[in-house]
Amino acid sequence: MGEKTKAIAIDGPSGAGKSTLARALAKELGFRYVDTGAIYRTVGCYARRKGVDPGNAEAVTALLPEIRVEVLYDSEGLQHMVLNGEDVTAEIRLPEISMYASRVSAIPAVRDFLMEMQRDLARRHNVIMDGRDIGTVVLPQADIKLFLSASPEDRAMRRFLELEQRGTPQDYGPLLSEIKERDYNDSHRAAAPLRPAEDAILLDTTGNTFDQSFQLLLKTIKENL
């Protein structure tokens, strides 16, 4: 990273509120928000479209030369994911894409394919970047590393309410099971498993409102940046 840019890494399990909080924090601080999960979702989206098993590393790796992923920002600073020239920002948020993203992100070739894109954004801008391995692998020299967590039950309930508000409700039980499965997959994968960086600040937001979590993270960042 260049000397002039600042980077804040926010890692944590699925549903911990990383994306929503990072987006709000970036707006407050005047940083660019980079949702790395959306980048992996875009690769997962392509694998799904092609009918490829996301757990088949060889088959997914064979798709990579066909994939062109771009990260663009609109006038309000919101991130858009573009797959081979097509804006897939809405499609990658479909619930069924979540497991595709989790599986393809465990493939070393996919991580290598996307790594330079993420690091280049941090070289060129002040960024808040969230994901699973930002502080440990993608930006190990980040100025601040936060590891955000909450109980699986709390995260499943947040997801339940989010989908209900979107008009695509799902039962709570399967959502909780999916959260626990993703936690296991993300923390046990061979390539860049989910874990806090040694110098990360650990923050548990179980039971917090959004504003409580936002103020906690903002205070932590201002004290450490």
Side-chain angles (χ1 to χ4, degrees):
M1 293 187 309
E3 292 180 1
K4 295 181 181 179
T5 59
K6 296 288 186 184
I8 299 169
I10 303 181
D11 290 308
S14 175
K18 301 185 302 296
S19 298
T20 311
L21 287 164
R23 187 180 295 111
L25 289 163
K27 186 175 182 180
E28 176 74 17
L29 296 167
F31 280 34
R32 177 158 290 189
Y33 167 55
V34 182
D35 177 0
T36 64
I39 300 173
Y40 284 101
R41 281 175 176 268
T42 302
V43 175
C45 176
Y46 191 77
R48 179 172 177 266
R49 285 181 173 187
K50 289 292 186 177
V52 169
D53 176 1
N56 186 330
E58 187 176 343
V60 173
T61 300
L63 294 177
L64 296 179
E66 306 170 15
I67 301 175
R68 190 175 83 257
V69 179
E70 296 173 273
V71 180
L72 302 179
Y73 293 85
D74 64 20
S75 58
E76 296 181 357
L78 296 178
Q79 178 175 313
H80 286 256
M81 295 309 307
V82 178
L83 171 61
N84 294 341
E86 177 188 351
D87 191 322
V88 293
T89 306
E91 183 178 346
I92 63 171
R93 294 302 169 188
L94 294 172
E96 52 267 34
I97 296 295
S98 295
M99 196 53 65
Y100 272 82
S102 181
R103 300 293 292 278
V104 301
S105 68
I107 300 171
V110 173
R111 305 198 73 82
D112 292 343
F113 177 69
L114 298 174
M115 181 81 71
E116 179 55 28
M117 174 195 298
Q118 296 167 70
R119 287 179 172 169
D120 183 58
L121 287 166
R123 280 193 290 267
R124 293 186 291 114
H125 308 279
N126 291 326
V127 298
I128 293 184
M129 191 176 293
D130 78 311
R132 303 289 193 277
D133 64 344
I134 308 306
T136 54
V137 177
V138 180
L139 301 178
Q141 303 303 319
D143 297 276
I144 299 176
K145 302 172 189 177
L146 306 176
F147 191 88
L148 199 60
S149 66
S151 71
E153 292 76 15
D154 197 84
R155 289 182 280 133
M157 180 54 68
R158 292 177 192 176
R159 182 67 173 154
F160 173 81
L161 295 172
E162 177 190 353
L163 291 171
E164 196 171 53
Q165 289 173 352
R166 285 186 186 175
T168 56
Q170 289 194 37
D171 291 337
Y172 171 80
L175 290 173
L176 178 58
S177 296
E178 182 181 307
I179 287 276
K180 289 180 176 179
E181 183 178 354
R182 284 204 69 180
D183 283 355
Y184 183 86
N185 290 341
D186 289 344
S187 60
H188 286 78
R189 68 192 183 198
L194 172 67
R195 61 177 176 81
E198 289 185 4
D199 53 348
I201 300 167
L202 309 183
L203 300 171
D204 191 324
T205 64
T206 301
N208 283 9
T209 64
F210 171 80
D211 190 58
Q212 287 171 331
S213 295
F214 176 79
Q215 293 301 331
L216 173 64
L217 268 70
L218 184 62
K219 178 175 181 287
T220 304
I221 289 169
K222 286 184 172 179
E223 287 175 348
N224 289 277
L225 191 60

